[in-house]
Amino acid sequence: MKKQMWIIASVAVVIVIGTYLFASNTSKEEAGTANAPNIRKLVEDISTGKETPESASINAKQLIVTDQDKKTTTYDLPENEFFLSIAPYVDQTHPCAIHSLTGCQGEMSNEEFNVTIHDSEGNTLMKDAMMKSGANGFMDLWVPRDRTYLIRVVHDGKVAETQLSTYDNDDTCITTMQLS
């Protein structure tokens, strides 16, 4: 009888430990899923309308996506990359700090711009690169984090320049570049 009790108790312990390990591993995988997808691709898909969540915003550290069922998932951004979304304008803009991938609308949709970006150390990230704004009027860029940049945008002979930085408390939505 004692031997049967030992066997039953041992089996029960194995089942409990196995269940705990399985559940623990599953929750780690689920928590890791928020970091697993290609964030750059996910941001692009949301910006271009290939993915259509209820809402999505991106700050200096995270992408926050709320799906149609109101479930919110937070994704950590890459440690060495910073997301910028720039909406040059001539007449109309809106105040913004944290870019809404599903809500922000810039004035100049589907327009081509000549973009140059230099960092404060004199390195050139882009030189006269042709970029096209999306249907939302924004150009999305991924640049190195923790730096200061001079950004120049040219469109139809009009120029806008700004200095900005990519530190943890900096804005991701740039709506202050008026072309003149």
Side-chain angles (χ1 to χ4, degrees), residues 83-127:
F83 177 81
L84 290 173
S85 197
I86 300 172
Y89 73 99
V90 174
D91 297 315
Q92 294 180 294
T93 190
H94 65 279
C96 194
I98 297 171
H99 185 59
S100 170
L101 298 167
T102 55
C104 283
Q105 182 64 49
E107 175 185 57
M108 303 180 77
S109 302
N110 301 308
E111 295 282 340
E112 288 193 353
F113 300 89
N114 186 305
V115 180
T116 299
I117 302 175
H118 300 285
D119 70 16
S120 60
E121 297 173 4
N123 300 309
T124 301
L125 261 59
M126 297 178 132
K127 178 135 176 83

Side-chain angles (χ1 to χ4, degrees), residues 29-151:
E29 286 176 7
E30 289 171 357
T33 301
N35 295 323
N38 180 336
I39 297 302
R40 289 177 74 151
K41 175 85 169 98
L42 181 56
V43 168
E44 178 184 339
D45 287 351
I46 294 170
S47 287
T48 59
K50 290 179 188 169
E51 293 282 337
T52 56
E54 182 72 23
S55 68
S57 61
I58 187 167
N59 62 37
K61 296 179 184 179
Q62 298 176 320
L63 168 65
I64 300 106
V65 179
T66 302
D67 66 18
Q68 303 299 336
D69 296 326
K70 307 293 186 227
K71 178 182 174 244
T72 299
T73 305
T74 301
Y75 301 92
D76 291 333
L77 298 184
E79 287 183 28
N80 59 348
E81 293 180 299
F82 192 97
F83 177 81
L84 290 173
S85 197
I86 300 172
Y89 73 99
V90 174
D91 297 315
Q92 294 180 294
T93 190
H94 65 279
C96 194
I98 297 171
H99 185 59
S100 170
L101 298 167
T102 55
C104 283
Q105 182 64 49
E107 175 185 57
M108 303 180 77
S109 302
N110 301 308
E111 295 282 340
E112 288 193 353
F113 300 89
N114 186 305
V115 180
T116 299
I117 302 175
H118 300 285
D119 70 16
S120 60
E121 297 173 4
N123 300 309
T124 301
L125 261 59
M126 297 178 132
K127 178 135 176 83
D128 299 323
M130 291 305 293
M131 292 190 69
K132 187 173 183 178
S133 62
N136 65 357
F138 282 82
M139 295 179 288
D140 294 343
L141 302 162
W142 290 91
V143 296
R145 198 174 268 286
D146 301 329
R147 295 191 188 168
T148 300
Y149 296 97
L150 177 63
I151 299 179

Side-chain angles (χ1 to χ4, degrees), residues 6-22:
W6 264 108
I7 292 172
I8 291 171
S10 296
V11 168
V13 168
V14 168
I15 290 171
V16 168
I17 291 173
T19 302
Y20 171 77
L21 291 173
F22 177 77

